[in-house]
Amino acid sequence: TIAVDGLGDEVVIRSEHDTHREAAARLEITGPYAAGAPSDGTNLAARAWSAAGARYQLGDASITLTKNIPSGAGLGGGSADAAAVLRVVAGMAGVECQELSEVAATLGSDVPFCLDQHAAWMRGRGEILEPVTFAVAAPFVILTVPVICPTASVYQAWDALEPGLRRGEEIAAPEWIAPHLPALRNDLTNAALNVVPELKVWIEI
């Protein structure tokens, strides 16, 4: 997993520093992809503040999210938002970000990676990170499609697949990444197609 420069949400937190109250977050969501993001307590940014803010008795907060990353696109926008909140909490509490790695793992499989912010192989449920250094920088093209494919639904569909359908089609690895992995594949492709069949049109482009 790698981070993408130039594509990110903006997270602004205003803490009330009321240590006599439980840590809760009020959300305001703006930006071109605001419509696809939950604006209640299920939002990962709000959950991150509630979990980590309570740990350090930071009280309530108002969080403004400017969504530039499409929701339901598999780009980890919600996880990145949660990690951004955790980094702010760490700064306010005067602790290292890694002290919040356990909290990150409870929020979602991608949140520990987003908190760490280094290219890595992810194992386990996402909480086991092995740093990777690429010898050659390479450009990527990211195509976002006008459909929402909820991550939780995709994983549920993957669990329901026959074992033979869980392994994605392998593709040849580009030369610069070949030393790290001889072949690449996306094991979630069939599950995603079960959830959103119209993705097939975009895959075949």
Side-chain angles (χ1 to χ4, degrees):
T1 304
I2 61 172
V4 178
D5 292 331
L7 178 64
D9 295 340
E10 181 179 329
V11 182
V12 177
I13 301 175
R14 298 174 180 84
S15 173
E16 297 180 3
H17 294 283
D18 185 354
T19 59
H20 299 290
R21 297 175 57 118
E22 293 184 5
R26 289 177 293 278
L27 282 177
E28 177 186 1
I29 302 181
T30 64
Y33 295 102
S39 58
D40 57 14
T42 64
N43 187 289
L44 280 177
R47 290 176 54 200
W49 180 268
S50 295
R55 182 172 183 170
Y56 297 106
Q57 299 181 328
L58 296 179
D60 291 352
S62 297
I63 300 177
T64 301
L65 292 181
T66 302
K67 293 295 296 179
N68 300 309
I69 301 175
S71 299
L75 296 176
S79 296
D81 295 341
V85 172
L86 295 182
R87 286 194 293 273
V88 170
V89 169
M92 294 176 65
V95 301
E96 295 294 328
C97 286
Q98 290 309 308
E99 286 200 23
L100 292 171
S101 58
E102 291 184 5
V103 174
T106 67
L107 296 170
S109 296
D110 292 339
V111 181
F113 165 77
C114 293
L115 181 65
D116 187 67
Q117 290 189 304
H118 294 94
W121 295 123
M122 299 170 64
R123 294 186 172 86
R125 198 175 53 83
E127 79 282 7
I128 303 173
L129 300 175
E130 178 185 341
V132 173
T133 300
F134 292 123
V136 179
F140 288 85
V141 175
I142 297 175
L143 173 66
T144 58
V145 300
V147 294
I148 293 178
C149 193
T151 302
S153 299
V154 173
Y155 278 102
Q156 290 170 3
W158 188 87
D159 288 337
L161 285 176
E162 294 292 334
L165 295 176
R166 291 180 179 177
R167 186 179 178 89
E169 180 181 353
E170 292 188 356
I171 60 175
E175 182 178 351
W176 63 272
I177 203 175
H180 302 286
L181 192 68
L184 300 174
R185 67 178 188 269
N186 184 349
D187 286 346
L188 293 179
T189 299
N190 288 331
L193 289 172
N194 279 6
V195 175
V196 186
E198 54 266 40
L199 282 174
K200 186 175 178 61
V201 175
W202 297 94
I203 291 173
E204 294 176 346
I205 290 178

